[in-house]
């Protein structure tokens, strides 16, 4: 089986390394496609090539996802997948442009260099190809979490947009302090800020543009800043209940 991976960035390379079979890379930057093919194995093809492939995986930024699916999904003879990170629009676009193919949307919940981890999956039209892909994902040590487009995209408002906004706001607001005056909470937030800011800013910008969540964080910070002692205590208790619910049994 040969898969066309549209997008030769980190996520496209992760997919190509994880899934068994031959791979062809196509990218708006031909040099990037060549480099990915050299690094991962396989070949590079022009982005506008008319070839047909057993499967097509779209691994482009969120803002380009639906257009890329529309352009490249018809090249698949068996299955179309995406790893763009947003599911409602991607699943709808795959259904529209590849109605007779197997279809699945995957969202690795980690940066590729931190693999393995949890991979959210919507199997919109399951079959032997998508089943084999998920078997390969599991074989690489990942946990597969099956979800729906609505559940996934709603969760990303908190898990990505809200979380990133909170961490970045802390980093922007924090003053540098002597090491001897730092607390475990400060160190934990500083570590998170280093983790978030050590990646490509464009990716985080697209998450903020796609998912709501930052405004809720800003509103919560303002309520804390404006609260008197009694109101703060209420907010503190509410935050503790939210944290307990988010943490589950773990």
């Amino acid at each position: 089986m040969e898969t066309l991976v549209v997008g030769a960035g980190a996520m496209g390379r992760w997919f190509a390394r994880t899934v068994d079979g031959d791979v062809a890379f196509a990218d708006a930057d031909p040099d990037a496609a060549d480099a990915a093919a050299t690094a991962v194995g396989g070949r590079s093809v022009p982005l506008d090539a008319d070839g047909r492939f057993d499967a097509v995986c779209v691994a482009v930024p969120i803002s380009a996802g639906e257009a890329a699916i529309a352009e490249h999904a018809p090249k698949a003879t068996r299955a179309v997948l995406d790893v763009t990170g947003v599911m409602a629009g991607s699943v709808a676009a795959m259904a529209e442009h590849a109605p007779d193919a197997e279809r699945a949307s995957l969202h690795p919940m980690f940066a590729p260099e931190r693999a393995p981890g949890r991979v959210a999956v919507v199997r919109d039209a399951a079959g032997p190809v998508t089943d084999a892909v998920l078997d390969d994902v599991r074989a690489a040590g990942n946990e597969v979490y099956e979800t729906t487009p609505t559940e996934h995209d709603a969760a990303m408002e908190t898990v990505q947009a809200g979380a990133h906004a909170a961490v970045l706001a802390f980093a922007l607001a924090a003053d540098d302090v002597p090491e001897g005056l730092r607390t475990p909470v400060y160190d934990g937030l500083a570590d998170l800020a280093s983790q978030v800011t050590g990646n490509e800013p464009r990716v985080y910008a697209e998450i903020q543009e796609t998912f709501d969540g930052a405004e809720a964080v800003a509103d919560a910070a303002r309520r804390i800043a404006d609260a008197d002692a009694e109101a703060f205590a209420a907010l503190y208790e509410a935050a503790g209940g939210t944290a307990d619910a988010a943490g589950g049994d773990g």
Side-chain angles (χ1 to χ4, degrees), residues 53-67:
F53 302 85
D54 297 296
V56 171
C57 177
V58 173
V60 300
I62 291 173
S63 59
E66 292 184 36

Side-chain angles (χ1 to χ4, degrees), residues 3-201:
T3 299
L4 172 66
V5 177
V6 181
M11 198 54 71
R13 294 185 184 202
W14 170 83
F15 183 87
R17 287 192 179 100
T18 303
V19 177
D20 191 31
D22 298 326
V23 63
F25 284 98
D27 195 280
D29 179 356
D31 290 339
D34 291 341
T38 299
V40 178
R43 63 190 179 108
S44 61
V45 298
L47 193 62
D48 58 358
D50 294 329
R52 300 277 281 171
F53 302 85
D54 297 296
V56 171
C57 177
V58 173
V60 300
I62 291 173
S63 59
E66 292 184 36
I69 290 169
E71 180 177 355
H72 300 287
K75 298 176 183 179
T77 61
R78 300 180 65 187
V80 180
L81 309 98
D82 88 288
V83 289
T84 61
V86 64
M87 289 189 167
S90 294
V91 168
M94 287 188 285
E96 177 181 356
H97 298 287
D100 299 323
E102 299 175 39
R103 301 182 301 276
S105 183
L106 285 68
H107 183 189
M109 306 301 296
F110 49 83
E113 64 272 14
R114 295 179 179 272
R118 182 178 298 113
V119 180
V121 176
V122 169
R123 293 202 282 184
D124 190 48
V129 175
T130 53
D131 286 349
V133 167
L134 296 184
D135 286 344
D136 290 340
V137 169
R138 294 187 185 94
N142 300 286
E143 173 192 351
V144 171
Y145 177 83
E146 300 217 26
T147 183
T148 66
T150 299
E151 180 184 59
H152 170 272
D153 289 359
M156 292 309 103
E157 294 183 4
T158 295
V159 171
Q160 288 193 317
H164 298 165
V167 171
L168 291 171
F170 163 78
L172 292 169
D175 291 326
D176 191 24
V177 296
E179 185 173 349
L181 296 178
R182 297 179 182 179
T183 66
V185 172
Y186 175 95
D187 283 339
L189 286 170
D191 287 344
L192 286 172
S194 295
Q195 178 179 331
V196 170
T197 58
N199 295 293
E200 170 56 52

